[in-house]
């Protein structure tokens, strides 16, 4: 067993790993240093929202932190309100309460069991992995641990190409929607707000700002101008176990073939959602079969369609989007942002239309970039990841999907895996593809806790 372990990150992934480690009966006390990165632990970005409009996009019954206690979150929610059902989409704020309660309980248990857990509210500045341990550096402090785990979530968003310095400095171009939402005031009066990107981040922004600014209208631009698909009110069960489809996909790991197979499976199903959801447990092993050129093809041609059907919104959120459109307050457009610059007291946008139809221009009081999670280690400004990449301690995924790692989450440098340096969650997208939501993260946390406690 590794006696000294460091967890770097203060969100749900770090919390799940911490709780997994501290839940076990251990033969010896554990020294655990938990670097939470400062404010917001253990809620992180997703569950730090205080808005009840922001709902989980996964049903309550599937949101436990613990793989071995799959109804943990549902039980917690039902203790507060017995009418809650496992199929409900509950507020993310409530999930943050659950994380806080579980982490507090684990820390209490750890104290009683004699473990030495230090909760360090700092960002780690640098890490030096070696074959027999990892040195963790923050400020003037150095700590040597037997093993370290990166649980830092996604990387800070970067402004899109074509956005001028003046636009960024104006404060009217928002790159980071979450901190913007947290500080948005009702006495600001933007009339026209443009959102760039139309996934679940845009939906969150629309829910919040349409209520805060009742006179504002919203233009949302994306490549296909489509919102995410909605969940059904009740979960639907697949008509078979999907094994035939998975087998056929394994036999021919080409994106074109997979799209054809999926179309055929959807045609034969009662509800396409069962086909999409049936792939989820198999996604990492299917992804592993794809050569880099096919992964790249997927990212160029099929990713947008996959994200729309895979990351769905609750039906009540869909109804809110529909109401905004019906009221003429939300317009969706197809196009790609080409340039943004300051024009008087507004921002001026050039949008490239599809099918070579030229450039459309538009003015806005505010532009918010809602393009989803950033995982591109090659271009990040995240200080710790830059330090690790610059020193060759981590290798960026060639397609911008986190760091190169083994399927167990061991971080690679060159062709080799560091024996005691791991990642969990979004940084593993390049290895597993499906690695950002709690159902996957909690399983990773469980497996990783097993490994750390065996000293593997
Ligand atoms: C808006 C939104 C909604 C979502 N909704 C759902 C949902 O309904 N269901 C679901 O399953 N998933 C959802 N997700 C996916 C989400 O990514 C995971 O559920 C989970 O929150 C990921 O947690 P994390 O700990 O990996 O990342 P984060 O929550 O981003 O936490 C990362 C932490 O690392 C810290 N950190 C960064 N750098 C350092 C450093 N150098 N030193 C120390 N700490 C550092 C940060 O401060 C932060 O605390 C959602 C994601 C978003 C963004």
């Amino acid at each position: 067993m590794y006696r000294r372990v460091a967890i770097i990150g203060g969100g749900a992934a770090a919390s799940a790993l911490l709780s997994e480690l501290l839940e076990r009966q251990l033969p010896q006390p554990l020294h655990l240093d938990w670097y939470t990165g400062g404010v917001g632990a253990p809620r992180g970005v997703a569950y730090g929202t205080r808005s009840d409009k922001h709902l989980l996009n996964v049903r309550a019954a599937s949101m436990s932190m613990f793989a071995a206690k799959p109804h943990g979150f549902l039980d917690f929610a039902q203790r507060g309100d017995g009418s809650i059902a496992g199929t409900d989409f509950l507020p993310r704020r409530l999930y943050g309460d659950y994380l806080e309660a579980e982490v507090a309980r684990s820390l209490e248990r750890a104290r009683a069991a004699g473990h030495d857990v230090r909760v360090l509210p700092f960002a780690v500045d640098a890490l030096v992995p070696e074959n027999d341990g990892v040195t963790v550096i923050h400020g003037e402090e150095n700590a040597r641990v037997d093993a370290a785990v990166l649980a830092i979530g996604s990387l800070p968003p970067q402004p899109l190409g074509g956005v001028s310095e003046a636009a960024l400095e104006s404060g009217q171009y928002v790159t980071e929607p979450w901190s913007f939402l947290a500080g948005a005031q009702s006495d600001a009066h933007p009339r026209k707000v443009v959102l760039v990107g139309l996934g679940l981040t845009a939906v969150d922004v629309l829910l919040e700002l349409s209520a805060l600014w009742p006179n504002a209208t919203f233009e949302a631009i994306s490549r296909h101008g489509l919102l995410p698909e909605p969940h059904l009110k009740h979960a639907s069960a697949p008509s078979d176990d999907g094994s035939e489809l998975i087998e056929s996909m394994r036999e021919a790991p080409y994106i074109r073939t997979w799209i054809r197979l999926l179309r055929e499976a959807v045609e034969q199903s009662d509800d396409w959602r069962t086909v999409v959801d049936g792939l989820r447990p198999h996604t990492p092993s299917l992804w592993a079969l794809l050569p880099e050129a096919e992964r790249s093809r997927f990212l160029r041609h099929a990713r947008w369609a996959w994200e729309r059907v895979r990351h769905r919104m609750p039906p009540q959120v869909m109804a809110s989007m529909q109401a905004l459109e019906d009221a003429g307050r939300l317009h969706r457009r197809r196009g790609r942002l080409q340039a943004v610059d300051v024009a008087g007291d507004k921002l001026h946008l050039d949008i490239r239309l599809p099918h070579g139809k030229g450039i459309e221009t538009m003015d806005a009081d505010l532009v918010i970039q809602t393009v989803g999670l950033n995982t591109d280690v090659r271009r990040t400004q995240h200080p710790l990841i830059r330090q690790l990449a610059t020193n060759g301690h981590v290798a960026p995924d060639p397609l911008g999907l986190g760091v190169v790692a083994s399927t167990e989450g061991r971080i690679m440098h060159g062709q080799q895996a560091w024996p005691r340096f791991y990642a969990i969650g979004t940084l593993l997208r390049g290895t597993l593809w499906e690695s950002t939501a709690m159902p996957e993260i909690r399983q990773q946390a469980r497996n990783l806790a097993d490994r750390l406690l065996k000293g593997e």
Side-chain angles (χ1 to χ4, degrees):
M1 150 180 175
Y2 293 136
R3 297 276 312 274
R4 275 202 97 91
V5 174
I7 303 178
I8 296 117
S15 304
L17 177 61
L18 176 104
S19 296
E20 277 287 350
L21 286 168
L22 300 176
E23 281 287 303
R24 319 278 174 99
Q25 297 280 358
L26 304 182
Q28 300 172 67
L30 187 67
H31 298 269
L32 192 59
D33 288 346
W34 183 22
Y35 296 88
T36 65
V39 287
R43 292 170 180 266
V45 178
Y47 313 113
T49 174
R50 296 285 159 180
S51 169
D52 276 341
K53 294 190 197 71
H54 291 158
L55 301 182
L56 295 168
N57 51 42
V58 176
R59 296 180 198 274
S62 303
M63 278 299 290
S64 175
M65 261 172 90
F66 299 98
K69 282 190 267 171
H71 283 160
F73 174 56
L74 180 60
D75 294 344
F76 172 86
Q78 287 178 333
R79 281 198 289 279
D81 177 352
S83 69
I84 285 173
T87 49
D88 289 349
F89 296 97
L90 299 177
R92 297 210 299 269
R93 179 192 53 71
L94 185 67
Y95 195 76
D97 296 347
Y98 163 67
L99 287 176
E100 271 183 8
E102 286 295 341
V103 166
R105 200 175 60 85
S106 299
L107 293 175
E108 195 58 54
R109 256 179 79 102
R111 251 170 246 125
H115 299 306
D116 173 22
V117 183
R118 297 194 300 161
V119 182
L120 302 155
F122 314 112
V124 167
D125 297 317
L127 288 166
V128 184
E130 286 165 298
N131 283 340
D132 58 351
V134 180
T135 304
V136 183
I137 302 165
H138 77 90
E140 302 292 300
E141 305 267 315
N142 278 8
R144 175 84 176 168
V145 291
D146 299 327
V149 180
L150 270 185
I152 59 159
S154 58
L155 300 169
Q158 296 284 323
L160 294 171
V163 182
S164 73
E165 277 303 315
L168 291 172
E169 280 163 17
S170 71
Q172 291 165 283
Y173 187 93
V174 175
T175 329
E176 195 135 10
W178 307 113
S179 42
F180 179 80
L181 282 191
Q185 302 290 330
S186 58
D187 57 2
H189 294 290
R191 303 287 299 192
K192 184 162 166 188
V193 181
V194 172
L195 304 186
V196 185
L198 245 181
L200 291 174
T201 305
V203 169
D204 264 16
V205 170
L206 285 165
L207 287 170
E208 199 60 16
L209 295 186
S210 62
L212 191 69
W213 299 329
N215 297 320
T217 57
F218 298 85
E219 304 284 336
I221 305 160
S222 76
R223 189 161 147 191
H224 293 269
L226 295 170
L227 282 161
E229 288 283 350
H231 285 285
L232 293 181
K233 190 162 187 315
H234 296 290
S236 38
S239 49
D240 63 37
D241 67 358
S243 52
E244 213 176 300
L245 168 66
I246 306 294
E247 227 17 75
S248 309
M249 290 176 77
R250 282 193 208 293
E251 279 166 18
Y254 305 102
I255 289 302
R256 276 211 192 114
T257 314
W258 284 8
I259 291 173
R260 179 178 54 75
L261 290 168
L262 285 168
R263 285 211 175 107
E264 287 166 9
V266 163
E267 272 164 28
Q268 284 159 25
S269 70
D270 295 333
D271 177 18
W272 57 265
R273 293 167 186 82
T274 59
V275 177
V276 172
D277 296 349
L279 284 187
R280 192 163 173 177
H282 308 282
T283 307
S285 60
L286 288 169
W287 181 252
L289 293 174
L290 285 182
E292 191 180 315
E294 287 298 311
R295 290 181 180 190
S296 171
R297 184 164 290 137
F298 167 78
L299 295 178
R300 284 197 312 277
H301 302 300
R303 178 186 193 156
W304 73 272
W306 177 251
E307 305 263 8
R308 258 192 91 228
V309 296
R310 165 64 194 85
H311 300 285
R312 304 193 287 270
M313 54 184 161
Q316 58 271 52
V317 173
M318 178 66 196
S320 302
M321 292 300 108
Q322 191 61 59
L324 276 179
E325 289 200 297
D326 293 347
R329 294 189 60 203
L330 168 60
H331 306 114
R332 292 183 278 119
R333 287 162 183 274
R334 295 187 66 180
R336 273 168 181 269
L337 188 70
Q338 181 92 1
V340 184
D341 210 346
V342 174
D345 62 350
K346 298 202 182 293
L347 291 183
H348 181 81
L349 289 82
D350 289 343
I351 296 154
R352 180 169 290 285
L353 299 174
H355 311 304
K357 286 190 188 147
I359 302 278
E360 184 182 341
T361 60
M362 158 186 319
D363 285 344
D365 298 306
L366 183 67
V367 178
I368 307 179
Q369 192 176 293
T370 49
V371 291
L373 302 182
N374 176 22
T375 54
D376 197 346
V377 166
R378 299 165 302 181
R379 285 183 258 283
T380 188
Q381 299 298 320
H382 188 286
L384 174 59
I385 296 297
R386 274 180 71 113
Q387 175 266 331
L388 287 166
T390 307
N391 290 307
H393 299 322
V394 302
D397 176 82
L399 299 173
L401 301 171
V403 294
V404 179
S406 73
T407 48
E408 298 134 19
R410 266 183 238 274
I411 292 173
M412 313 274 290
H413 61 117
Q415 295 303 308
Q416 290 197 315
W418 289 111
R420 296 172 178 221
F421 186 29
Y422 298 88
I424 180 172
T426 310
L427 282 181
L428 297 180
R429 262 203 132 172
T431 308
L432 304 171
W433 179 251
E434 189 73 71
S435 187
T436 52
M438 283 320 283
E440 283 74 29
I441 286 176
R442 69 181 180 211
Q443 191 59 50
Q444 290 176 19
R446 183 173 169 77
N447 298 345
L448 189 47
D450 286 345
R451 254 174 233 121
L452 292 168
L453 295 175
K454 281 192 205 141
E456 289 183 341

